[in-house]
Structure formats: C-alpha cells, structure tokens
Amino acid sequence: MDAALTSVYKTRLALISPPRTGSTAVARLLWQHPAVTHHCHEPFEACYWGDQGPESVESILANPMEVASGRRVALADVPHGGGLLMKEMSFQLSEAQFGQLVGLATAAPVFVICDPRLSTTSRLRIVRQLNGAETFPVFESGWQSLREQMEQCRSRGVPYVLVDSDDLRADPAGLTAALMAALGLPPVVGLESWAPRPGLQLVSPEVGALMSDVRKGDDPFYRKVLGSSGIQPRAEVRWEREEEIIAAAGLAGDVAKWRYWYEEMRADPALIVGRSAERENNADAG
C-alpha cells in the first residue's frame, strides 16, 4: 500500500491533533490548495474504536475522498501527480501507526493545537449530546499522545510544524502563507475562505458502520466546520463558565496539566507564526 500511495501522489501531507482543536478547519484550508486533490479522514479510527486491523487502514487509504466532488474513488482511478491529505487524531495512533503515517508524508507533519480548556469543553458538549456522557476518558483528550508524538519526531530527527488554530483565527492570511511555506507548497491567495459543504460525509464507510444512528443523521463533530465559509474569529469566551464545565466533569487537574504542555508547545520554535506576530517579534528584538 505504501508503495502504491507514493507512486500516485506527488504531495502527501499528515495532519495530526487532539480532538476539537480546529484541525478539520485546517484540513479545509489545505483542500483549497490545488496541490491537495484527495483526503483520507482518520484512516486509523476504525482500528481504535472497532478493533479492526491493518486491512481497514489499507481500505481507507485505497479509497480516498476526492476533494472536488466529495466522492470516494479507488486509488487506481486517482490521476498520478495529485496530493493526499491524511488527517488523524493523536490518541487513535499507536507509536508504530504514527511512524507509518509520518513516513508516508512528503512534508513535515502538521500538529494542530488550541487552548486545552476549549478543546475539552467542546468535546464534553458533544459527548453529552451524543450519548449523555458527563465526561470522557483522559487518554482520549489526545494531549498525552500528541506530546509523545512530538518527542518521537525530535528523537528521530523528523521536522514538524505546529499550528495553533486561534493564531489562525487571529491572522488567517498571514498564518496560511506561513504554513504553505513551511510545507513547501506554492503560495495561493484566498485559501482561508471556501464554500459551505454541509452534506459532505467525511468519515469512511468503515467508521460509518460503527456510528450511532443519531450521529449518522447529523454528525455534531463536523456540522459547524462543514457548514462554514472560511476561517472565522473565535466568539468571546467566558472562561469562568468553561472552567465550571471542566470541573463538573472531574477533569480540572488533567486540564491544568494539558495547559502546561500546551504552553510548552507554544514556546516550541516549530510553532507557525503569521505576519503580525513576526512584526511584533521584530519590534521586540529592535
């Protein structure tokens, strides 16, 4: 499978993040680039949730979504020279699976982050909506896995890039341009705006078979981003309310730890900054 993918796609990108950090919005931005023609959404998801084996991963990679049409197409029918975006949740990857995903990429893997308080409360709201759960397993926050994957990159000398989705919201054009440069893609104006695609089915059929009827009918994980028209500023956050939700779920201590890791990531030289941040940094240096 790896050989088939490398022979078909000139560009292969890996996008990895904890849940609810804005990674699907970053994926939509990358779809706008003419170098990205196909998308594989969480090819390892069915392995994590459904205990399926490597054949599930191969099936998903062999039947990617064509970005332009939203249709699943056979790899044999994909024109040579296109580009594949492989998006995955950090906690759904074992160490070996992470190595496989990054090994397929032709550019540095992209890790997407945001304030863990916001990713946590967003996930809490959705799991409550889907099944009435009051909390979720700490491991499925994805922060521990992400930190380990970044360390894995550093120990193996694999370059990576970090994108904070709130930086992207604050400076869409500037951060997009910086991200394209970091990935070695030609600059294209206007990638941060797109047409809404509310009816698009992102998840693979393998994962769809595991979903509840409620989620099949209206998937809350992707409803907002698929109905969006581009990168938008974040609405005002009531931090006191967010922290109350976290405490009620019994996650306050865990989120405090994730925030510490998040601040470490914010200080990582691999963090992408836009034009406005560069100007501020230059001014401070002067």
Side-chain angles (χ1 to χ4, degrees):
M1 174 54 64
D2 290 7
L5 291 172
T6 56
S7 68
V8 170
Y9 298 109
K10 178 181 179 181
T11 300
R12 301 180 300 277
L13 304 177
L15 181 66
I16 302 158
S17 74
R20 314 307 299 160
T21 55
S23 58
T24 306
V26 177
R28 291 211 64 182
L29 184 154
L30 290 168
W31 292 357
Q32 301 303 108
H33 199 287
V36 178
T37 57
H38 293 78
H39 176 87
C40 272
H41 192 78
E42 301 181 18
F44 294 91
E45 185 176 10
C47 296
Y48 182 85
W49 294 104
D51 296 323
Q52 297 187 29
E55 66 282 355
S56 169
V57 180
E58 291 192 6
S59 176
I60 294 170
L61 291 172
N63 295 277
M65 185 190 82
E66 185 180 59
V67 169
S69 67
R71 295 183 294 108
R72 305 282 162 182
V73 296
L75 184 60
D77 296 328
V78 174
H80 283 239
L84 176 68
L85 174 61
M86 300 168 286
K87 178 185 177 298
E88 189 55 83
M89 293 287 97
S90 56
F91 74 90
Q92 293 176 170
L93 292 166
S94 68
E95 182 175 339
Q97 290 167 339
F98 174 75
Q100 179 186 356
L101 190 64
V102 171
L104 284 168
T106 55
V110 180
F111 296 121
V112 182
I113 58 176
C114 77
D115 190 307
R117 290 173 292 183
L118 298 176
S119 65
T120 300
T121 55
S122 178
R123 188 166 180 80
L124 285 169
R125 291 181 178 106
I126 288 180
V127 298
R128 186 175 296 119
Q129 177 182 341
L130 283 174
N131 55 33
E134 295 300 321
T135 190
F136 57 83
V138 168
F139 180 74
E140 291 172 9
S141 75
W143 288 100
Q144 176 185 333
S145 298
L146 184 71
R147 191 167 184 258
E148 292 170 353
Q149 288 156 1
M150 291 172 61
E151 178 55 37
Q152 191 174 333
C153 285
R154 287 190 290 264
S155 66
R156 298 181 181 182
V158 176
Y160 59 86
V161 297
L162 272 163
V163 175
D164 190 318
S165 60
D166 275 312
D167 291 345
L168 181 60
R169 289 172 180 272
D171 182 13
L175 207 80
T176 297
L179 177 59
M180 295 307 111
L183 294 177
L185 296 177
V188 175
V189 176
L191 298 180
E192 59 279 4
S193 298
W194 49 70
R197 301 179 71 174
L200 191 65
Q201 180 57 263
L202 274 180
V203 301
S204 67
E206 289 81 354
V207 174
L210 304 173
M211 290 165 53
S212 67
D213 291 339
V214 173
R215 188 175 169 191
K216 286 178 184 177
D218 182 18
D219 193 338
F221 281 103
Y222 307 113
R223 180 193 305 137
K224 185 175 180 181
V225 68
L226 291 179
S228 70
S229 58
I231 303 297
Q232 301 293 329
R234 186 181 290 282
E236 183 179 356
V237 178
R238 294 174 55 202
W239 290 109
E240 182 178 350
R241 176 57 181 156
E242 301 299 294
E243 289 172 356
E244 288 174 356
I245 294 171
I246 290 167
L251 294 172
D254 297 295
V255 171
K257 180 171 59 178
W258 303 336
R259 287 182 65 192
Y260 179 81
W261 294 344
Y262 168 71
E263 292 302 332
E264 285 186 331
M265 295 173 191
R266 291 280 308 165
D268 192 314
L271 182 72
I272 298 292
V273 296
R275 299 188 189 104
S276 58
E278 287 179 350
R279 287 194 295 268
E280 289 175 6
N281 292 339
N282 292 336
D284 290 342

